[in-house]
Amino acid sequence: GQSFLSGQTKPPGAIPALGSQIVTFPATIVFLDFLRIVSGVRPGAVVPYHSTLGLSVDAPAVGPLRLPIEKDGEFPVPTVPDVSVPSIAWKNVSLSGATGVMTMRVGNTNQFPLDVTAIDYALSIAGAPVAQSSIASPLKVAAGAAGDLVLALSVSTLAAGAALVRTFQSSGANYGLSGSMAFNTPWGPLRTPIQKNGALSF
């Protein structure tokens, strides 16, 4: 019920008879400003909207006309997914390196589904960097749900020394995860940053 966005643009050329044309409006949407305007809307919500458009046309044999158009729809306010590493299962740990599988959990706190398409991540354990990679493993996460990705992990312990080997042989450690995630939504593709610190179990 509050004004949020306005503007005007000129379509590129004529619209053919019984045809259609996509008209792009230049606009910058700042979600923090949107939240200040619409009270009670939390990140991750889907907000209904009402738009009023005026289409000015030069009709043959009639001349200039302004056609009023109204449209109701929904507008998403995306929030960053909750990405964490709950556990790592080591298969082999030696003085030269370690191999295992890492479980990466993606929690969707939005009111709409996410279709994860790619993840860039850097993982540190006990303050030491152990992995940095990009994955393109599709994962569909329903609204309010969580999904797991199981990723192979290979770590060289030569540079970190015996301290990191002892950490891997313990029951768990603190971790840090950073990077970015790309996903598709019903309203188009988005990319969000990843920043997570926590404790994981081995």
Side-chain angles (χ1 to χ4, degrees):
Q2 300 187 60
S3 178
F4 167 57
L5 191 64
S6 63
Q8 63 181 29
T9 189
K10 185 176 182 179
I15 301 176
L18 302 178
S20 63
Q21 184 181 107
I22 295 176
V23 179
T24 302
F25 286 81
T28 299
I29 300 174
V30 181
F31 286 112
L32 287 178
D33 292 343
F34 179 78
L35 292 177
R36 293 188 188 101
I37 294 173
V38 185
S39 61
V41 176
R42 66 170 184 84
V46 178
V47 181
Y49 75 84
H50 177 78
S51 62
T52 302
L53 309 175
L55 182 63
S56 298
V57 300
D58 186 7
V62 178
L65 294 174
R66 186 180 187 277
L67 308 177
I69 304 173
E70 294 190 0
K71 172 68 177 177
D72 293 298
E74 292 180 328
F75 188 92
V77 185
T79 186
V80 178
D82 182 20
V83 181
S84 61
V85 181
S87 65
I88 294 179
W90 298 115
K91 295 183 177 180
N92 179 58
V93 177
S94 67
L95 292 177
S96 61
T99 59
V101 291
M102 174 179 67
T103 300
M104 182 181 294
R105 182 160 296 159
V106 179
N108 181 12
T109 56
N110 292 282
Q111 294 180 352
F112 49 86
L114 299 180
D115 185 5
V116 180
T117 57
I119 299 177
D120 300 328
Y121 70 91
L123 176 70
S124 63
I125 298 177
V130 297
Q132 184 171 353
S133 183
S134 298
I135 58 175
S137 181
L139 176 67
K140 296 182 182 296
V141 187
D148 289 346
L149 288 170
V150 179
L151 311 174
L153 201 60
S154 180
V155 182
S156 173
T157 55
L158 291 176
L164 190 58
V165 175
R166 288 193 295 270
T167 298
F168 290 168
Q169 292 174 332
S170 66
S171 61
N174 293 328
Y175 76 91
L177 185 69
S178 61
S180 64
M181 173 186 298
F183 52 88
N184 292 323
T185 74
W187 293 271
L190 291 173
R191 178 174 286 273
T192 64
I194 297 173
Q195 190 68 47
K196 181 75 174 185
N197 296 301
L200 59 83
S201 61
F202 297 150

